[in-house]
Amino acid sequence: MGITVNEIVDAKGLACPMPIVRTKKAITNLEPGQVMEVQATDKGSTADMKAWAENTGHQYLGTVEDGDVLKHYLRKASDEETKEETRHESVTDLEELHNKIEEGTSIFILDVREPAEFVFGHIPSAVNIPLGELEDRLNEITKDKEIHVICRTGNRSDLAAQKLTKKGFNNVKNVVPGMAKWDGPTERNY
C-alpha cells in the first residue's frame, strides 16, 4: 500500500527555514484533506514540520527516510481545523543577547538546532536540545532564569519558544535572527 499524494514539494538541499517556506506556499494549492509530500535533506526538517503543523492545524502524518531524503507527509486541514499561525511575542535581538552575556547576566541559552549544526559553532554556555527532542528533555531547562531560545534563523526557535510557554515556562525569549548572523563569541566541539 502506497501513500497517495496530491502534491510533491522539493526542498532538498535547503536549510531551515526554506523547507517550511516552500511548504506554506504549496499547501495553499491543496484542497482540505489532500496530502502533500515534502522532500527535504535538512535533518531538522522533521521537527520543523511537526511543530509547524501543530501550530497551524494541518496534520503531520509522518516521515519516511529514503536514503538521504526525508519525505514528510502532511494533510491539509479544513477551514474549521486551520489555526492562524502564531509567533512568539517575546523576542530579543542578537545585540541584546550579546550585551547580557558580556554583562554576566544570569540567563539560560537554549540552542534548538540539530547536533551537527551546534558542534560547528554555538554560543558558549548554550545548551543544545534539538526541537524534536524538546518535549522529552524539558527537565534540562532551568525555569528560574530568563530563557533565550536560538536556532539558525529564528524560525525553529520561535516554535520552541511557543512550546515552552505552553508548557508553563515563563520569561522565554526568541532570539532573532539567530546563529546565521551571530558575531559574538562561539565555541566548536569537534
Short mmCIF file of all heavy atoms in Angstrom, two decimals, residues 105-147:
data_model
loop_
_atom_site.label_atom_id
_atom_site.label_comp_id
_atom_site.label_asym_id
_atom_site.label_seq_id
_atom_site.Cartn_x
_atom_site.Cartn_y
_atom_site.Cartn_z
N THR A 105 24.90 38.61 32.92
CA THR A 105 23.53 38.38 33.37
C THR A 105 23.26 36.88 33.40
O THR A 105 23.64 36.15 32.49
CB THR A 105 22.52 39.07 32.41
OG1 THR A 105 22.88 40.45 32.30
CG2 THR A 105 21.09 38.94 32.91
N SER A 106 22.61 36.43 34.44
CA SER A 106 22.31 35.01 34.59
C SER A 106 21.11 34.64 33.71
O SER A 106 19.96 34.91 34.05
CB SER A 106 22.01 34.69 36.05
OG SER A 106 21.76 33.31 36.21
N ILE A 107 21.41 34.05 32.56
CA ILE A 107 20.37 33.64 31.61
C ILE A 107 20.62 32.20 31.19
O ILE A 107 21.71 31.66 31.39
CB ILE A 107 20.34 34.55 30.35
CG1 ILE A 107 21.69 34.54 29.63
CG2 ILE A 107 19.90 35.97 30.72
CD1 ILE A 107 21.71 35.30 28.31
N PHE A 108 19.61 31.58 30.62
CA PHE A 108 19.72 30.22 30.09
C PHE A 108 19.59 30.33 28.58
O PHE A 108 18.59 30.82 28.07
CB PHE A 108 18.59 29.35 30.66
CG PHE A 108 18.70 27.90 30.30
CD1 PHE A 108 19.40 27.02 31.12
CD2 PHE A 108 18.11 27.40 29.15
CE1 PHE A 108 19.50 25.68 30.79
CE2 PHE A 108 18.21 26.06 28.81
CZ PHE A 108 18.91 25.20 29.64
N ILE A 109 20.62 29.88 27.85
CA ILE A 109 20.60 29.93 26.39
C ILE A 109 20.32 28.53 25.88
O ILE A 109 21.09 27.60 26.12
CB ILE A 109 21.92 30.46 25.81
CG1 ILE A 109 22.21 31.86 26.37
CG2 ILE A 109 21.86 30.49 24.28
CD1 ILE A 109 23.60 32.39 26.05
N LEU A 110 19.20 28.37 25.19
CA LEU A 110 18.77 27.09 24.65
C LEU A 110 18.93 27.12 23.13
O LEU A 110 18.28 27.91 22.45
CB LEU A 110 17.31 26.82 25.02
CG LEU A 110 16.66 25.57 24.41
CD1 LEU A 110 17.39 24.31 24.87
CD2 LEU A 110 15.20 25.52 24.78
N ASP A 111 19.79 26.28 22.61
CA ASP A 111 20.03 26.18 21.17
C ASP A 111 19.27 24.97 20.67
O ASP A 111 19.56 23.83 21.06
CB ASP A 111 21.54 26.03 20.92
CG ASP A 111 21.92 26.16 19.46
OD1 ASP A 111 21.18 25.64 18.60
OD2 ASP A 111 22.98 26.76 19.18
N VAL A 112 18.26 25.18 19.80
CA VAL A 112 17.39 24.09 19.36
C VAL A 112 17.75 23.55 17.98
O VAL A 112 16.98 22.84 17.37
CB VAL A 112 15.90 24.51 19.41
CG1 VAL A 112 15.46 24.75 20.85
CG2 VAL A 112 15.61 25.71 18.54
N ARG A 113 18.97 23.87 17.52
CA ARG A 113 19.43 23.32 16.24
C ARG A 113 19.80 21.85 16.42
O ARG A 113 19.94 21.35 17.53
CB ARG A 113 20.63 24.11 15.72
CG ARG A 113 20.29 25.56 15.39
CD ARG A 113 21.52 26.34 14.97
NE ARG A 113 22.49 26.37 16.07
CZ ARG A 113 23.80 26.53 15.91
NH1 ARG A 113 24.32 26.66 14.70
NH2 ARG A 113 24.61 26.55 16.95
N GLU A 114 20.02 21.19 15.31
CA GLU A 114 20.45 19.80 15.34
C GLU A 114 21.89 19.73 15.85
O GLU A 114 22.65 20.68 15.70
CB GLU A 114 20.35 19.20 13.93
CG GLU A 114 18.92 19.04 13.44
CD GLU A 114 18.09 18.13 14.34
OE1 GLU A 114 18.48 16.96 14.54
OE2 GLU A 114 17.05 18.58 14.84
N PRO A 115 22.29 18.60 16.45
CA PRO A 115 23.63 18.47 17.00
C PRO A 115 24.74 18.80 16.00
O PRO A 115 25.74 19.43 16.37
CB PRO A 115 23.70 17.01 17.45
CG PRO A 115 22.29 16.67 17.77
CD PRO A 115 21.46 17.42 16.75
N ALA A 116 24.59 18.41 14.75
CA ALA A 116 25.63 18.69 13.75
C ALA A 116 25.81 20.20 13.56
O ALA A 116 26.92 20.67 13.35
CB ALA A 116 25.29 18.03 12.43
N GLU A 117 24.73 20.96 13.62
CA GLU A 117 24.82 22.41 13.49
C GLU A 117 25.50 23.01 14.72
O GLU A 117 26.34 23.90 14.62
CB GLU A 117 23.42 23.03 13.35
CG GLU A 117 22.65 22.62 12.11
CD GLU A 117 21.22 23.11 12.17
OE1 GLU A 117 20.40 22.45 12.86
OE2 GLU A 117 20.92 24.14 11.54
N PHE A 118 25.12 22.52 15.88
CA PHE A 118 25.62 23.01 17.16
C PHE A 118 27.13 22.81 17.28
O PHE A 118 27.85 23.71 17.70
CB PHE A 118 24.88 22.29 18.29
CG PHE A 118 25.22 22.76 19.67
CD1 PHE A 118 24.67 23.91 20.19
CD2 PHE A 118 26.10 22.03 20.48
CE1 PHE A 118 24.96 24.35 21.48
CE2 PHE A 118 26.40 22.45 21.77
CZ PHE A 118 25.83 23.61 22.26
N VAL A 119 27.61 21.64 16.89
CA VAL A 119 29.02 21.30 17.02
C VAL A 119 29.92 22.27 16.27
O VAL A 119 31.00 22.62 16.74
CB VAL A 119 29.25 19.85 16.51
CG1 VAL A 119 30.72 19.55 16.27
CG2 VAL A 119 28.68 18.85 17.49
N PHE A 120 29.47 22.76 15.13
CA PHE A 120 30.31 23.62 14.30
C PHE A 120 30.27 25.09 14.69
O PHE A 120 30.89 25.92 14.05
CB PHE A 120 29.95 23.45 12.82
CG PHE A 120 30.54 22.19 12.26
CD1 PHE A 120 29.77 21.04 12.18
CD2 PHE A 120 31.86 22.14 11.86
CE1 PHE A 120 30.32 19.86 11.69
CE2 PHE A 120 32.41 20.98 11.37
CZ PHE A 120 31.64 19.82 11.28
N GLY A 121 29.58 25.43 15.75
CA GLY A 121 29.60 26.80 16.25
C GLY A 121 28.36 27.12 17.06
O GLY A 121 27.25 27.07 16.55
N HIS A 122 28.59 27.40 18.34
CA HIS A 122 27.48 27.76 19.23
C HIS A 122 27.97 28.77 20.25
O HIS A 122 29.17 28.96 20.44
CB HIS A 122 26.91 26.52 19.92
CG HIS A 122 27.92 25.77 20.73
ND1 HIS A 122 28.71 24.78 20.20
CD2 HIS A 122 28.30 25.88 22.03
CE1 HIS A 122 29.52 24.32 21.14
NE2 HIS A 122 29.29 24.97 22.26
N ILE A 123 27.02 29.40 20.90
CA ILE A 123 27.33 30.37 21.94
C ILE A 123 27.86 29.61 23.16
O ILE A 123 27.24 28.62 23.58
CB ILE A 123 26.07 31.18 22.30
CG1 ILE A 123 25.60 31.99 21.09
CG2 ILE A 123 26.33 32.10 23.49
CD1 ILE A 123 24.25 32.64 21.26
N PRO A 124 28.98 30.04 23.72
CA PRO A 124 29.49 29.38 24.92
C PRO A 124 28.39 29.35 26.00
O PRO A 124 27.64 30.31 26.15
CB PRO A 124 30.66 30.27 25.36
CG PRO A 124 31.10 30.95 24.11
CD PRO A 124 29.84 31.16 23.30
N SER A 125 28.27 28.29 26.70
CA SER A 125 27.29 28.02 27.76
C SER A 125 25.91 27.65 27.23
O SER A 125 25.02 27.32 28.02
CB SER A 125 27.18 29.17 28.77
OG SER A 125 26.35 30.21 28.28
N ALA A 126 25.69 27.70 25.92
CA ALA A 126 24.38 27.30 25.37
C ALA A 126 24.18 25.80 25.58
O ALA A 126 25.13 25.02 25.51
CB ALA A 126 24.29 27.64 23.89
N VAL A 127 22.94 25.43 25.84
CA VAL A 127 22.57 24.03 25.99
C VAL A 127 21.86 23.62 24.71
O VAL A 127 20.93 24.29 24.25
CB VAL A 127 21.64 23.83 27.21
CG1 VAL A 127 21.12 22.42 27.29
CG2 VAL A 127 22.36 24.23 28.49
N ASN A 128 22.31 22.51 24.11
CA ASN A 128 21.73 22.04 22.86
C ASN A 128 20.65 20.99 23.13
O ASN A 128 20.94 19.90 23.61
CB ASN A 128 22.82 21.45 21.97
CG ASN A 128 22.30 20.95 20.63
OD1 ASN A 128 22.63 19.86 20.20
ND2 ASN A 128 21.51 21.76 19.95
N ILE A 129 19.42 21.35 22.83
CA ILE A 129 18.30 20.41 22.85
C ILE A 129 17.56 20.63 21.53
O ILE A 129 16.83 21.62 21.38
CB ILE A 129 17.35 20.63 24.04
CG1 ILE A 129 18.11 20.52 25.37
CG2 ILE A 129 16.20 19.63 23.99
CD1 ILE A 129 17.26 20.82 26.60
N PRO A 130 17.75 19.75 20.54
CA PRO A 130 17.08 19.92 19.26
C PRO A 130 15.55 20.00 19.43
O PRO A 130 14.99 19.37 20.33
CB PRO A 130 17.48 18.68 18.47
CG PRO A 130 18.75 18.23 19.10
CD PRO A 130 18.61 18.57 20.55
N LEU A 131 14.91 20.78 18.58
CA LEU A 131 13.47 20.97 18.66
C LEU A 131 12.72 19.65 18.77
O LEU A 131 11.79 19.52 19.56
CB LEU A 131 12.97 21.78 17.46
CG LEU A 131 11.47 22.04 17.38
CD1 LEU A 131 10.97 22.81 18.59
CD2 LEU A 131 11.13 22.77 16.10
N GLY A 132 13.13 18.65 18.00
CA GLY A 132 12.46 17.36 18.02
C GLY A 132 12.57 16.60 19.34
O GLY A 132 11.82 15.68 19.60
N GLU A 133 13.51 16.99 20.20
CA GLU A 133 13.70 16.34 21.50
C GLU A 133 13.19 17.18 22.66
O GLU A 133 13.25 16.74 23.81
CB GLU A 133 15.20 16.06 21.71
CG GLU A 133 15.81 15.13 20.69
CD GLU A 133 17.31 14.98 20.86
OE1 GLU A 133 17.86 15.33 21.93
OE2 GLU A 133 17.95 14.50 19.89
N LEU A 134 12.71 18.36 22.36
CA LEU A 134 12.36 19.32 23.41
C LEU A 134 11.37 18.77 24.43
O LEU A 134 11.59 18.87 25.64
CB LEU A 134 11.84 20.62 22.78
CG LEU A 134 11.64 21.80 23.71
CD1 LEU A 134 12.95 22.18 24.40
CD2 LEU A 134 11.10 22.99 22.91
N GLU A 135 10.28 18.18 23.96
CA GLU A 135 9.24 17.67 24.87
C GLU A 135 9.80 16.67 25.87
O GLU A 135 9.42 16.66 27.03
CB GLU A 135 8.12 17.00 24.07
CG GLU A 135 7.35 17.93 23.18
CD GLU A 135 6.04 18.37 23.77
OE1 GLU A 135 5.64 17.88 24.84
OE2 GLU A 135 5.40 19.23 23.15
N ASP A 136 10.74 15.83 25.41
CA ASP A 136 11.28 14.78 26.27
C ASP A 136 12.39 15.27 27.20
O ASP A 136 12.80 14.55 28.11
CB ASP A 136 11.83 13.63 25.42
CG ASP A 136 10.75 12.93 24.63
OD1 ASP A 136 9.59 12.90 25.09
OD2 ASP A 136 11.06 12.41 23.54
N ARG A 137 12.88 16.49 26.97
CA ARG A 137 14.03 16.97 27.74
C ARG A 137 13.75 18.29 28.48
O ARG A 137 14.68 19.01 28.85
CB ARG A 137 15.23 17.12 26.81
CG ARG A 137 15.67 15.78 26.21
CD ARG A 137 16.80 15.88 25.24
NE ARG A 137 17.99 16.46 25.85
CZ ARG A 137 19.06 16.82 25.14
NH1 ARG A 137 19.10 16.66 23.83
NH2 ARG A 137 20.10 17.36 25.73
N LEU A 138 12.50 18.57 28.74
CA LEU A 138 12.13 19.81 29.44
C LEU A 138 12.79 19.92 30.81
O LEU A 138 13.09 21.03 31.26
CB LEU A 138 10.61 19.91 29.58
CG LEU A 138 9.81 20.08 28.29
CD1 LEU A 138 8.32 19.99 28.58
CD2 LEU A 138 10.16 21.40 27.62
N ASN A 139 13.05 18.79 31.44
CA ASN A 139 13.66 18.81 32.77
C ASN A 139 15.09 19.35 32.77
O ASN A 139 15.64 19.67 33.81
CB ASN A 139 13.64 17.41 33.39
CG ASN A 139 14.45 16.41 32.58
OD1 ASN A 139 14.51 16.47 31.36
ND2 ASN A 139 15.05 15.47 33.26
N GLU A 140 15.71 19.49 31.60
CA GLU A 140 17.06 20.01 31.49
C GLU A 140 17.10 21.54 31.40
O GLU A 140 18.17 22.13 31.37
CB GLU A 140 17.76 19.42 30.26
CG GLU A 140 17.93 17.92 30.33
CD GLU A 140 18.53 17.34 29.07
OE1 GLU A 140 19.44 17.97 28.49
OE2 GLU A 140 18.07 16.25 28.64
N ILE A 141 15.92 22.15 31.34
CA ILE A 141 15.84 23.60 31.17
C ILE A 141 15.56 24.27 32.50
O ILE A 141 14.63 23.89 33.22
CB ILE A 141 14.75 23.97 30.13
CG1 ILE A 141 15.06 23.28 28.81
CG2 ILE A 141 14.65 25.48 29.96
CD1 ILE A 141 13.94 23.33 27.81
N THR A 142 16.38 25.25 32.82
CA THR A 142 16.26 25.98 34.08
C THR A 142 15.08 26.95 34.00
O THR A 142 15.07 27.84 33.17
CB THR A 142 17.56 26.76 34.37
OG1 THR A 142 18.64 25.84 34.34
CG2 THR A 142 17.50 27.46 35.70
N LYS A 143 14.12 26.76 34.90
CA LYS A 143 12.93 27.62 34.90
C LYS A 143 13.13 28.95 35.61
O LYS A 143 12.38 29.88 35.38
CB LYS A 143 11.74 26.89 35.55
CG LYS A 143 11.11 25.85 34.70
CD LYS A 143 9.83 25.35 35.33
CE LYS A 143 9.08 24.45 34.37
NZ LYS A 143 7.76 24.10 34.85
N ASP A 144 14.13 29.03 36.48
CA ASP A 144 14.27 30.24 37.30
C ASP A 144 15.11 31.32 36.63
O ASP A 144 15.42 32.33 37.26
CB ASP A 144 14.82 29.88 38.68
CG ASP A 144 16.19 29.23 38.61
OD1 ASP A 144 16.60 28.80 37.52
OD2 ASP A 144 16.85 29.15 39.67
N LYS A 145 15.49 31.13 35.38
CA LYS A 145 16.25 32.15 34.65
C LYS A 145 15.49 32.56 33.40
O LYS A 145 14.61 31.84 32.92
CB LYS A 145 17.62 31.59 34.22
CG LYS A 145 18.56 31.29 35.35
CD LYS A 145 19.89 30.78 34.79
CE LYS A 145 20.85 30.43 35.91
NZ LYS A 145 22.09 29.86 35.36
N GLU A 146 15.86 33.71 32.88
CA GLU A 146 15.35 34.15 31.58
C GLU A 146 15.87 33.16 30.54
O GLU A 146 17.07 32.88 30.50
CB GLU A 146 15.88 35.55 31.31
CG GLU A 146 15.22 36.27 30.19
CD GLU A 146 15.70 37.72 30.14
OE1 GLU A 146 16.75 37.96 29.50
OE2 GLU A 146 15.03 38.59 30.73
N ILE A 147 14.98 32.62 29.72
CA ILE A 147 15.37 31.62 28.72
C ILE A 147 15.43 32.28 27.35
O ILE A 147 14.44 32.85 26.89
CB ILE A 147 14.37 30.45 28.70
CG1 ILE A 147 14.31 29.79 30.09
CG2 ILE A 147 14.74 29.43 27.62
CD1 ILE A 147 13.15 28.82 30.26
#
